Amino acid sequence: MIDVSLLICTRDRRDSLAATLASIVRAAEQARGVRLELIVVDNGSSDGTPSMVRYWATERGFTIRLLSEPRPGLSRARNMALAAARGRIIAMTDDDCVLHPDYLTRLIRAFAAFPAPVVIGGRILLGDPADLPVTVKLEDHPMTADPEGFPGGFVMGANLAFTADVRGLVGRFDERFGAGAPFRAAEDTDFLFRAQAAGIPIRYDPGFVVDHHHGRRREDEAVALLAGYGFGDGALYAKHLWTDRRIGRLIREDVRNLRMRFVGPVPAIRHFHAFRLRHVLAGFAAYARAAITDRRPSAPRTSSA
């Protein structure tokens, strides 16, 4: 049986993906005896990514599968990879991340400590000190998520793994969420939120590490990213409002946080909680509008006879 299925979804990032693939080779060489399959899903690249991957894949010591999902959307691509995965552990990272050489060894060790089903996220370091300190996970100690809390940011899709049985218990990624989809972000948070509802523990282990070379160096880029995160979270709130009692409490917490002065990772955002709430409300409203439209009956067809 395959020990680890590592999933990477990519679109027009041939150069950064090449660095990711090189780091996987180093990790596989160090983790001798770990049976690895790498699943790369090309999400409509136009920069020669598939040809690069096919050329790189020759004469590797582990299984490599290149799949194509031409319809845009990170969640669509992830669902294709998820359906194809055969490993007892399913892990995912991004095409701008570099695995540490002991990644696979430490990943296997982390899962050996806990019975299935379980979700475990790893550490995410800033790959380039010139990049702004966003989309990182820096804690150096193990943690367990509060099952009644909000999992957003506790662990992240750039370094996320779970036992194969989680796939059947939680289901697919919601394709309305994530990069390239209407609600922009929160596809990993929605997956984790549903995992918590199913009683699956979510843990953080700093032992398996990736460096994230996200390339955002201007404040406006980071502001747009964080706005998208809030927008996606708001859509997630609306999605689960009537089915999960946690949502009401989470909304109240966001409102109470307005009293706190907190400067986030981007100095241009002077009052982070107000900034977040504004975009949460926008995402909530967008989801509500889409739900109303989806329920609206279509216009009757007219006869041309």
Side-chain angles (χ1 to χ4, degrees), residues 241-258:
L241 178 64
W242 305 114
T243 59
D244 196 303
R245 59 186 174 81
R246 290 176 289 175
I247 295 298
R249 177 169 50 80
L250 293 170
I251 294 173
R252 290 192 295 272
E253 286 178 2
D254 279 342
V255 173
R256 283 197 298 269
N257 285 340
L258 292 174

Side-chain angles (χ1 to χ4, degrees), residues 212-248:
H212 196 185
H213 295 261
H214 62 75
R216 296 179 181 88
R217 299 179 180 181
R218 301 196 320 267
E219 286 195 344
D220 62 313
E221 295 175 311
V223 168
L225 177 73
L226 296 172
Y229 286 168
F231 189 90
D233 286 347
L236 183 150
Y237 286 0
K239 174 184 175 180
H240 296 283
L241 178 64
W242 305 114
T243 59
D244 196 303
R245 59 186 174 81
R246 290 176 289 175
I247 295 298

Side-chain angles (χ1 to χ4, degrees), residues 1-8 24 27-28 31-40 61-65 81-82 84-93 99 102-112 120 159-164 167 208:
M1 182 181 183
I2 299 293
D3 293 312
V4 179
S5 294
L6 180 59
L7 319 181
I8 300 177
I24 294 170
R32 296 182 185 275
V34 173
R35 290 159 294 187
L36 170 69
E37 74 169 356
L38 172 64
I39 301 174
V40 179
F62 50 89
T63 301
I64 301 163
R65 302 165 69 189
L82 194 61
R86 300 172 296 174
R88 63 181 181 90
I89 299 170
I90 299 173
M92 60 183 65
T93 190
L99 278 59
D102 63 351
Y103 174 92
L104 290 170
T105 304
R106 299 296 293 268
L107 178 73
I108 293 289
R109 187 181 306 169
F111 277 87
I120 307 178
N159 192 7
L160 185 68
F162 43 86
T163 49
R167 173 176 49 189
F208 58 100

Side-chain angles (χ1 to χ4, degrees), residues 159-221:
N159 192 7
L160 185 68
F162 43 86
T163 49
D165 51 352
V166 170
R167 173 176 49 189
L169 294 168
V170 177
R172 293 157 54 88
F173 286 91
D174 189 328
E175 295 181 357
R176 298 170 296 178
F177 291 79
F183 302 127
R184 306 182 195 172
E187 80 293 340
D188 49 358
T189 305
D190 177 69
F191 187 89
L192 296 169
F193 199 78
R194 289 184 280 133
Q196 287 179 315
I200 299 169
I202 299 173
R203 303 182 183 275
Y204 168 75
D205 188 311
F208 58 100
V209 186
V210 301
D211 295 329
H212 196 185
H213 295 261
H214 62 75
R216 296 179 181 88
R217 299 179 180 181
R218 301 196 320 267
E219 286 195 344
D220 62 313
E221 295 175 311

